[in-house]
Amino acid sequence: MKVFILWLVIIVAALAAYLTYLWWHPARRSHFQVRLTALFLLFAMVPSVPLLFAVSSLATSTIDILLVPEVEATMLAAMQAMKQQSEERAARLVAAAQQEPATADMLRRWQFDYYLTWRKTGDEVQLSQAVARDEAARALAMTFAAERISESWGQRDSELLAPAGTRPSHCRVWLPASAGEMAVVGFAVAPEIALTKERLTQALRVYNSLAMIKERALQGELIWGGAAAMILVLCLLSVLAARVLSRRLSRPLEQLTQASLQVASGNLQVHAEASAKDEIRQLVDSFNHMISELRASREKLVITERLAAWREVARQVAHEIKNPLTPIQLGLYRVRQRLDEAVVSQPAVQESFQSIEEELASLRHLAEEFSDFARLPRAELQPGNLNEVVQLTARLFQGAGGEIQIKTDLAPEIPPRPFDREQIKRLLNNLIKNALEASLTPSGTITISTRRAGDKVRLTIADQGPGLSPDMLEKIFEPNFSTKRGGAGLGLTMVKRIVEEHGGTITVESAPGKGTAFTIII
């Protein structure tokens, strides 16, 4: 018991030191692991320590109860009594043989099988007399060789021979007969006696083994040491399980914490990882979804702020461009009126006037684009059929591109959707005009199609123009980006804003030499 208590104190002290190390170590500190380890140890030690203590005490008490010294003494006394009884019977026969000659009849009368006497001359032992009741008994008697009687000379002892074949159990006794003589006698023994002696021998062997175990277990306190070892194993398993489980749980939490710190510092491009498939994974997924929405919200906010800034710039630019246009136009008219007809009719002068007028028209168009972008109102959504607006707008552009055909492929089953009619017209005008300007050949085709997309409508406008490079696709919706000479780069920006005002999405697919297709889902 002392060993058990000593080891228990050592184990508790070691565990306390380990938990303190985890709690305070600057590099390895893990309060979560400490709490989890303490919980595991509590569940392991609270039931196991009393149980092992009780089992060890019970085992010790049981061994003490089973190995009562009187049991061994009783078995030894019983075996000694059986042995002494056989030897006393043989001694009476030897005493009778001293009074009368030993014969076969005498042996039968005394119920003995044989009677041998041995005489010793110097160091040599010789058989002096051999009497047996029959030949089988004589053969059995001769199995006791001279070497054995020489070794047992002067002693009194006996042995119980187990049955062999048809021969019953047999007892052989040797004892001194007279001075210089040893007698050996044998007689049959009831099977019950032989069986009883065999059982007593086995029981005594078992008892001696248990006594040896008891001596080693109690003196060396092996039972209590084994109980302490079990406690140690349980504690080690608890610490290992807590360590593995805490790492599995704390790693995604630590990653989540690091990601939160990065988000707090302004980095919304983080993505927390989690290999688990439990509530921790749901937490990480929710965090990633929240960051994704936050990133999208910030991007929308940036876009909104940028658009607001561009609208203000567009308003100022449109104002600054429009103000000098009229005086310039009037000044150009006055100059032409004051010049002589001969001068005006000169080709160089005509070309200069034409170039100035074209640039003025380009500036006027640019001012109108800036003005349209600046005063784009909020969408007023009303339920309607998108196909009607598409057909009307496409009809207006028929023939505007020369031989370029505008085909419509409108699905009749599209659902009615709320949209701003004027803004959708403006969106279609921009996209169809861009498609016409991008067409490579006069015989090209522009396809406008509508399809049902769940409870929404998918609108696609595709041309057969030169297509766009990947770099262009990345910037196509940014303000001030244009692939046309003299373009303000606000048309597609306005288109995207209209789509977003309708709660939809716009994507573009293009490749050099394969045309461009804008897909809008609203």
Side-chain angles (χ1 to χ4, degrees):
M1 185 181 299
K2 292 180 180 180
V3 171
F4 179 77
I5 296 175
L6 178 61
W7 273 106
L8 187 60
V9 171
I10 293 174
I11 292 171
V12 171
L15 291 174
Y18 173 71
L19 295 178
T20 304
Y21 169 78
L22 287 181
W23 187 272
W24 295 107
H25 195 278
R28 298 179 178 269
R29 82 179 340 175
S30 176
H31 293 178
F32 177 73
Q33 184 177 349
V34 171
R35 294 188 182 96
L36 193 62
T37 304
L39 186 63
F40 274 50
L41 290 172
L42 186 65
F43 283 139
M45 295 185 67
V46 167
S48 61
V49 170
L51 180 61
L52 288 173
F53 183 84
V55 169
S56 300
S57 300
L58 181 61
T60 304
S61 302
T62 303
I63 293 177
D64 287 336
I65 293 173
L66 291 177
L67 298 181
V68 179
E70 287 76 6
V71 174
E72 181 183 17
T74 301
M75 289 189 294
L76 291 174
M79 294 182 65
Q80 185 63 29
M82 294 174 62
K83 185 173 180 298
Q84 186 174 358
Q85 184 180 11
S86 300
E87 293 174 358
E88 290 295 335
R89 179 181 175 186
R92 288 194 294 270
L93 176 64
V94 172
Q98 300 295 328
Q99 304 296 326
E100 59 177 306
T103 62
D105 292 337
M106 179 184 179
L107 294 178
R108 293 189 188 95
R109 189 171 65 251
W110 282 76
Q111 296 182 350
F112 275 77
D113 291 334
Y114 54 85
Y115 177 84
L116 306 177
T117 57
W118 297 78
R119 187 176 296 277
K120 188 173 185 180
T121 304
D123 293 333
E124 185 179 357
V125 177
Q126 294 180 347
L127 181 63
S128 60
Q129 183 181 8
V131 181
R133 60 189 300 173
D134 52 34
E135 291 300 324
R138 181 180 294 274
L140 181 59
M142 292 298 104
T143 59
F144 197 84
E147 291 79 6
R148 291 201 58 191
I149 195 64
S150 178
E151 294 173 358
S152 306
W153 194 267
Q155 301 176 8
R156 177 174 172 172
D157 205 351
S158 61
E159 62 182 0
L160 190 63
L161 304 179
T166 59
R167 188 187 71 198
S169 300
H170 182 76
C171 182
R172 176 181 290 158
V173 182
W174 56 92
L175 68 165
S178 60
E181 272 189 344
M182 287 286 291
V184 180
V185 298
F187 54 92
V189 178
E192 293 79 4
I193 297 177
L195 182 60
T196 301
K197 182 180 179 182
E198 181 64 24
R199 289 177 176 174
L200 285 172
T201 303
Q202 292 178 358
L204 190 59
R205 189 180 300 115
V206 172
Y207 184 90
N208 290 332
S209 299
L210 289 176
M212 184 179 299
I213 294 174
K214 172 189 175 182
E215 181 179 0
R216 293 182 179 179
L218 295 183
Q219 289 182 357
E221 297 194 1
L222 294 180
I223 295 177
W224 295 106
M230 288 296 297
I231 295 293
L232 180 61
V233 171
L234 288 174
C235 292
L236 291 177
L237 291 177
S238 299
V239 170
L240 181 61
R243 184 179 181 87
V244 172
L245 187 59
S246 65
R247 284 187 174 181
R248 184 177 179 183
L249 293 177
S250 62
R251 185 177 292 112
L253 293 178
E254 290 176 358
Q255 293 177 352
L256 197 60
T257 302
Q258 294 297 327
S260 301
L261 294 176
Q262 294 185 36
V263 171
S265 64
N267 181 15
L268 296 182
Q269 303 301 322
V270 297
H271 183 80
E273 299 291 340
S275 58
K277 298 182 179 180
D278 49 14
E279 289 78 4
I280 300 295
R281 178 60 178 269
Q282 296 178 6
L283 177 63
V284 173
D285 290 342
S286 299
F287 176 82
N288 290 331
H289 180 67
M290 180 190 68
I291 296 303
S292 177
E293 291 184 346
L294 187 60
R295 184 167 54 247
S297 299
R298 189 174 74 172
E299 290 175 356
K300 289 182 180 179
L301 180 60
V302 171
I303 292 173
T304 303
E305 293 176 350
R306 187 183 300 171
L307 288 176
W310 270 99
R311 288 178 65 184
E312 182 63 27
V313 171
R315 186 180 295 109
Q316 294 179 8
V317 169
H319 178 73
E320 294 296 331
I321 293 177
K322 286 181 178 179
N323 281 343
L325 281 180
T326 301
I328 292 174
Q329 191 84 27
L330 290 175
L332 182 64
Y333 177 74
R334 290 171 183 166
V335 169
R336 176 177 289 179
Q337 292 294 326
R338 292 182 180 183
L339 289 176
D340 293 337
E341 187 66 29
V343 175
V344 174
S345 60
Q346 293 180 9
V349 176
Q350 290 287 342
E351 289 179 2
S352 298
F353 277 114
Q354 184 177 357
S355 176
I356 293 173
E357 289 176 351
E358 288 178 356
E359 292 299 329
L360 287 175
S362 177
L363 287 173
R364 185 176 293 107
H365 174 70
L366 188 63
E368 290 176 355
E369 286 192 3
F370 276 112
S371 180
D372 290 341
F373 178 76
R375 65 171 180 263
L376 184 66
R378 301 285 297 181
E380 296 182 2
L381 307 182
Q382 297 292 333
N385 191 328
L386 191 63
N387 283 345
E388 296 178 1
V389 181
V390 173
Q391 287 176 337
L392 178 61
T393 308
R395 195 178 300 120
L396 294 175
F397 278 91
Q398 291 292 350
E403 297 182 5
I404 299 176
Q405 296 184 4
I406 299 178
K407 294 184 177 180
T408 57
D409 180 14
L410 309 180
E413 72 280 1
I414 64 172
R417 295 290 299 162
F419 60 87
D420 187 310
R421 193 178 186 89
E422 295 303 321
Q423 289 196 12
I424 294 298
K425 285 182 181 179
R426 188 173 298 177
L427 176 149
L428 290 169
N429 286 336
N430 272 282
L431 293 179
I432 294 174
K433 189 183 299 183
N434 288 345
L436 288 172
E437 294 174 353
S439 297
L440 289 174
T441 61
S443 59
T445 301
I446 298 172
T447 304
I448 307 174
S449 62
T450 58
R451 292 290 184 271
R452 187 186 187 101
D455 59 346
K456 296 185 177 182
V457 178
R458 183 174 66 249
L459 171 65
T460 303
I461 301 174
D463 61 47
Q464 296 177 340
L468 301 172
S469 65
D471 293 338
M472 293 180 177
L473 288 176
E474 292 181 359
K475 304 176 182 178
I476 193 168
F477 293 112
E478 293 182 2
N480 201 31
F481 175 78
S482 177
T483 59
K484 298 180 295 183
R485 180 181 177 275
L490 298 175
L492 290 179
T493 303
M494 185 170 58
V495 166
K496 184 178 182 182
R497 183 186 169 194
I498 292 173
V499 173
E500 292 176 347
E501 287 280 342
H502 286 74
T505 59
I506 181 170
T507 57
V508 57
E509 295 181 4
S510 182
K514 296 184 179 180
T516 303
F518 288 88
T519 301
I520 300 168
I521 298 179
I522 56 174

